[in-house]
Amino acid sequence: MAKINYRDRARKHVAEARARLAETGEAAARQACLALRMAIEALTYQNLQAYLAETPNSVMAQWTPKKVMDELLAADPHADQTATVFIGIETTPGVPSDDMQFLGEDRRFTQKWGNKAHNALGSFLHEPTIRQTETGKATEADARLKAAEIADELDRILETSLFAVNMGEFISFECVCGFHVKRRSSVLSHDDQVICGGCGRHWIYKKLEGDPAYGFVPDGYSFPCLECGETCQFEAHELGEGKVVTCAGCGAKAEVFTQFAVRQVRAELAGADDAGKIQT
Ligand SMILES: [Zn+2]
Ligand SMILES: [Zn+2]
């Protein structure tokens, strides 16, 4: 998948916001807030692109900076931190070089800042409520002040030439769909579920017998065939209402479905308010 130049898009959004802030009027202030929200989104997606191999495919459907960054932080607990990068040749392997050169700084906003700024800008994109009008909140002056403050921070982040740095020690494998799945070794534990970023297949990181000692095995479900008793299996990502599984032994088809059921409430959990709720 070709990379999208989100950094360039973020710069254009901030430039547009600055141009709108230079104009007078409520509409211009509102447009500045909208452009800055888009700049925050663009910078979030820029970082997401650096982590695509480490995130489940569902992340691409997310659009709020908070939700995207939840996934980035699950992949890398430092994903929302600014990093300063130095480079140097190790004359003795394992011993840091005594000639480290400064390479640059990858500036990032924290999830907390990004979410707060995105929401604050969003609050100016609605018609003020009666209460806000009465209390004088969410005025054009407030919007301009907030927008200028956020534009300054975004400019500071966009100033550097180093960005989307993602370094670490990784464990990786190729999914059956061909997607190269990788996870930071520091966040991967035995029996963790790993969802492919390409096709959404579920894998379990397992201790194996022999060499290699660890590997990824498909996560799935099994049940005895309702006709012949043979074990039927299907993959975890296929689980859903209406999934039809054909028995490899006899060819009988079984359908996955959900249903509501009732059960007796155990005595220790049965409060006076809970008992008999289903009756009308
Ligand atoms: Zn896959
Ligand atoms: Zn069967």
Side-chain angles (χ1 to χ4, degrees):
M1 198 190 304
K3 288 217 168 171
I4 300 158
N5 193 342
Y6 281 119
R7 197 168 184 80
D8 188 46
R9 292 183 61 81
R11 282 201 177 98
K12 284 178 178 151
H13 292 315
V14 178
E16 192 202 329
R18 295 243 182 243
R20 296 287 85 80
L21 285 174
E23 294 168 7
T24 53
E26 194 187 303
R30 196 160 47 234
Q31 284 159 7
C33 289
L34 180 61
L36 290 170
R37 254 170 85 95
M38 291 174 76
I40 291 171
E41 289 160 18
L43 279 173
T44 307
Y45 305 158
Q46 164 207 280
N47 291 337
L48 171 61
Q49 282 194 139
Y51 285 90
L52 278 185
E54 296 169 65
T55 49
N57 63 341
S58 54
V59 70
M60 282 192 275
Q62 304 290 358
W63 69 272
T64 64
K66 170 155 190 333
K67 289 211 167 136
V68 171
M69 286 172 85
D70 276 345
E71 295 289 355
L72 297 189
L73 288 169
D76 174 7
H78 301 292
D80 71 341
Q81 303 293 316
T82 291
T84 310
V85 183
F86 290 88
I87 192 166
I89 297 170
E90 288 181 353
T91 41
T92 311
V95 178
S97 167
D98 52 13
D99 183 26
M100 296 295 265
Q101 305 287 324
F102 174 72
L103 196 67
E105 196 178 34
D106 177 0
R107 292 178 183 163
R108 297 186 188 181
F109 51 73
T110 61
Q111 181 186 43
K112 193 174 163 196
W113 186 91
N115 190 40
K116 221 171 137 187
H118 197 254
N119 288 340
L121 293 165
S123 71
F124 299 114
L125 301 178
H126 303 280
E127 184 62 28
T129 62
I130 297 167
R131 173 61 58 84
Q132 282 173 327
T133 307
E134 276 174 359
T135 57
K137 293 262 171 68
T139 61
E140 183 195 332
D142 291 333
R144 287 179 174 275
L145 210 62
K146 184 51 80 180
E149 177 196 316
I150 291 170
D152 284 350
E153 177 60 7
L154 294 176
D155 271 342
R156 195 187 69 81
I157 287 169
L158 287 163
E159 215 172 69
T160 63
S161 53
L162 191 72
F163 60 95
V165 171
N166 181 6
M167 289 186 283
E169 192 183 319
F170 298 100
I171 296 169
S172 63
F173 73 103
E174 198 174 297
C175 178
V176 290
C177 74
F179 189 86
H180 187 73
V181 179
K182 68 176 190 179
R183 291 293 182 273
R184 201 165 291 265
S185 56
S186 58
V187 299
L188 194 62
S189 304
H190 311 150
D191 300 325
D192 273 358
Q193 189 190 59
V194 169
I195 299 176
C196 172
C199 69
R201 270 191 180 79
H202 298 204
W203 298 85
I204 305 286
Y205 182 58
K206 279 249 180 254
K207 193 171 178 9
L208 305 173
E209 300 296 327
D211 188 26
Y214 297 96
F216 293 85
V217 296
D219 189 12
Y221 301 100
S222 63
F223 61 94
C225 171
L226 304 171
E227 291 290 332
C228 72
E230 178 90 14
T231 302
C232 296
Q233 293 174 314
F234 63 97
E235 291 186 75
H237 73 288
E238 297 175 322
L239 178 66
E241 185 78 29
K243 163 72 183 165
V244 172
V245 184
T246 306
C247 172
C250 72
K253 290 183 192 304
E255 185 185 353
V256 175
F257 72 102
T258 54
Q259 66 176 179
F260 288 107
V262 287
R263 63 184 169 200
Q264 197 158 29
V265 178
R266 282 185 288 132
E268 64 269 25
L269 297 175
D273 291 342
D274 295 332
K277 258 189 179 169
I278 207 163
Q279 294 162 12
T280 53

